[in-house]
Amino acid sequence: MTNTASPDILVIGGGPAGSTAAALLAMRGRDTLLVEKEAHPRFHIGESLLPANLDILERLGVLEEVRDIGVHKPGAEFVSDRTGRSCAFPFAHALNRNRTHAWQVKRAELDALLFANARRKGATTLENTRVTDVQFGAPGERATVRARTGGGEELTFRPRYVLDASGRDTFLAGRMRVKAMNKYNNTAAIYAHFQGVERRSGELDGYISIHLAEDGWFWLIPLPGDVMSIGFVGNQSAWKGRKGTPQELFEARIASSPTVAARTRGAEMVSEIYSTGNYSYRAQQGCGEGFLMIGDAYGFVDPMFSTGVLMAMTAGELGAKAAHAWLDDPVQGHRLAQRTNRELAQAMDRISWLIYRINDPVMRSLFMAPRNTLWMRDGIINMLAGNLRGDPRAVVPILSFKAVFHTLSALHRIGLGPAMPEALPERLPAAAE
């Protein structure tokens, strides 16, 4: 940085989106200031990466570093509480097979690594510094950004462009009152780290496990050091009338799932319990004169398919291109900013179609017994691998899958069609549990 007080670009937030954008902008020679409210490392969820992440990590020059802190992830496994069955979705069967694995990582380590990389690439980085206010001037004028350090010192910056990568804080969207909650996916989550959890072996070694429960779902993510990240995401009925401490609620949820309870016998919780609500939202306006919202600061969807870090880093790449262009040509830069929001919104819509329906018994039955007619199974795996930006090879498979789902749903509603195991009222027999 040649002038910390008046950088070309100020990035709010040092998570995957902000650190990716800051590194790429610094690599292009832009004076970039990256401001993070906390100090790395800090706990965060979103620990399961996707194959589509790997190309971005390579462009950032950190692919081998991330490999060293991760658990090899060759696919995703879905497990049904209702039937006890398991179904594997190996990334090697995706339509796009350029990358057939990913890694599971402790986010504290990944985020610290990406933040340090941004600094190494030439960005100026501040930690324990919270942005408190942003004021945008007339077109062509620099913004005024105020921040406060952990020691209480007040700072003022005058950047030409602002990238909001503040995550679920949604700094600009909240202040501009453009944050819209998703009424179709009003869920909440509770999660923690455990040791001593049964891990998959053989062909399923390293897989993330998604356990489909009665009114929500669990994630089980194997991490280095015999650590397992476990979280439960439930709809309103899962939490209604529940009382007790967070630990009691979490333990009760685990005990209510026969498949998760079986894997956690004798396990020990080794972290605090965390929770968050109102998972899904999107900014109605994500960019404007001199600013762009990227990553979770723009929008977020239910994390069932591990898209969070990928969406954030993709937004960081696209946001860096928009900011870089804006400094030389504001009109072109604004067009790229709009395109960034549009591409991310379309990607969220593609994966949301599955997420909104994952508690539907017909959808669950299709997931637990996938068929590859017209490459439908491979098309779904293509999405699970993070190929969400309009892969033309996936058009026919995904449209075919949707057609099958809607047809079976219509038949199920009138009592016709094949048996749907996930629609049966009986749970597993006590002996099986």
Side-chain angles (χ1 to χ4, degrees):
M1 286 283 294
T2 57
N3 191 341
T4 304
S6 300
D8 289 333
I9 298 133
L10 186 144
V11 183
I12 306 173
S19 294
T20 296
L24 293 171
L25 285 163
M27 290 165 67
R28 293 187 176 201
R30 297 299 189 179
D31 289 342
T32 307
L33 175 61
L34 176 60
V35 183
E36 164 59 31
K37 67 178 181 179
E38 298 182 77
H40 288 290
R42 74 280 195 279
F43 184 88
H44 207 287
I45 56 168
E47 299 141 319
S48 192
L49 305 183
L50 298 177
N53 277 106
L54 272 57
D55 286 340
I56 304 176
L57 294 171
E58 188 167 54
R59 288 191 285 272
L60 289 171
V62 297
L63 186 65
E64 296 304 318
E65 290 181 71
V66 176
R67 185 199 309 274
D68 291 342
I69 64 169
V71 170
H72 184 78
K73 175 189 175 183
E77 170 204 27
F78 286 78
V79 183
S80 169
D81 265 1
R82 190 174 288 274
T83 66
R85 293 180 57 191
S86 167
C87 185
F89 291 82
F91 294 140
H93 290 172
L95 299 172
N96 181 344
R97 297 174 186 175
N98 292 333
R99 301 281 192 177
T100 58
H101 73 278
W103 297 292
Q104 331 255 25
V105 295
K106 293 180 180 178
R107 276 290 301 278
E109 296 179 7
L110 175 69
D111 290 9
L113 185 158
L114 294 175
F115 191 83
N117 185 61
R119 181 170 55 244
R120 193 163 58 239
K121 297 299 185 185
T124 296
T125 60
L126 297 177
E127 297 179 80
N128 277 321
T129 302
R130 181 183 294 270
V131 172
T132 57
D133 185 57
V134 176
Q135 297 292 329
F136 296 100
E141 292 184 358
R142 290 176 177 262
T144 300
V145 179
R146 294 182 174 84
R148 183 181 299 113
T149 68
E153 181 184 0
E154 301 288 340
L155 304 175
T156 300
F157 306 103
R158 299 297 308 280
R160 294 175 60 192
Y161 198 84
V162 174
L163 284 174
D164 180 8
S166 58
R168 290 177 59 82
D169 286 354
T170 56
F171 185 87
L172 288 180
R175 281 156 179 77
M176 295 170 61
R177 298 183 179 179
V178 296
K179 180 180 177 179
M181 307 308 298
N182 189 326
K183 62 182 180 180
Y184 298 108
N185 195 38
N186 188 15
T187 55
I190 188 167
Y191 44 92
H193 283 176
F194 293 76
Q195 285 185 333
V197 178
E198 176 190 303
R199 295 166 88 99
R200 298 307 197 204
S201 59
E203 292 183 355
L204 295 182
D205 183 28
Y207 271 55
I208 180 176
S209 298
I210 303 297
H211 290 249
L212 302 175
E214 289 302 305
D215 44 13
W217 60 276
F218 287 86
W219 74 71
L220 274 73
I221 301 174
L223 298 172
D226 188 39
V227 173
M228 185 76 74
S229 174
I230 301 180
F232 173 75
V233 180
N235 51 34
Q236 289 179 318
S237 65
W239 308 108
K240 190 175 181 179
R242 307 283 182 177
K243 296 181 180 180
T245 65
Q247 182 165 345
E248 290 170 339
L249 288 173
F250 199 17
E251 289 175 349
R253 292 307 320 181
I254 290 175
S256 71
S257 166
T259 60
V260 177
R263 293 182 64 181
T264 55
R265 289 193 185 104
E268 176 188 5
M269 192 180 299
V270 293
S271 76
E272 297 179 37
I273 294 178
Y274 300 86
S275 61
T276 186
N278 294 324
Y279 246 20
S280 299
Y281 58 84
R282 192 178 305 176
Q284 295 169 310
Q285 175 193 349
C287 61
E289 181 65 32
F291 74 90
L292 170 62
M293 304 172 199
I294 58 176
D296 293 357
Y298 169 67
F300 186 74
V301 294
D302 186 300
M304 180 169 220
F305 299 121
S306 306
T307 55
V309 176
L310 173 62
M311 293 282 200
M313 297 185 73
T314 299
E317 272 202 310
L318 295 174
K321 291 178 182 177
H324 178 71
W326 193 92
L327 295 177
D328 297 324
D329 183 350
V331 174
Q332 173 66 5
H334 185 63
R335 277 200 292 264
L336 289 177
Q338 290 178 313
R339 183 173 131 193
T340 296
N341 287 161
R342 186 168 58 250
E343 285 200 30
L344 268 295
Q346 290 170 348
M348 285 189 281
D349 288 343
R350 289 186 182 101
I351 200 66
S352 292
W353 186 89
L354 288 175
I355 292 171
Y356 296 159
R357 293 162 177 82
I358 199 60
N359 289 328
D360 183 281
V362 174
M363 180 62 77
R364 288 191 171 193
S365 295
L366 290 174
F367 256 82
M368 298 311 301
R371 295 187 178 183
N372 206 31
T373 306
L374 294 176
W375 304 281
M376 288 188 291
R377 182 205 62 193
D378 293 354
I380 293 298
I381 294 175
N382 205 57
M383 294 181 69
L384 299 182
N387 299 295
L388 303 175
R389 296 175 65 189
D391 188 339
R393 290 169 293 187
V395 173
V396 170
I398 296 302
L399 286 178
S400 300
F401 181 84
K402 289 182 177 182
V404 170
F405 167 76
H406 288 303
T407 300
L408 291 178
S409 295
L411 292 173
H412 179 66
R413 283 193 295 270
I414 61 176
L416 300 176
M420 291 287 152
E422 296 296 324
L424 298 177
E426 296 83 5
R427 290 175 60 91
L428 284 171
E433 295 186 12

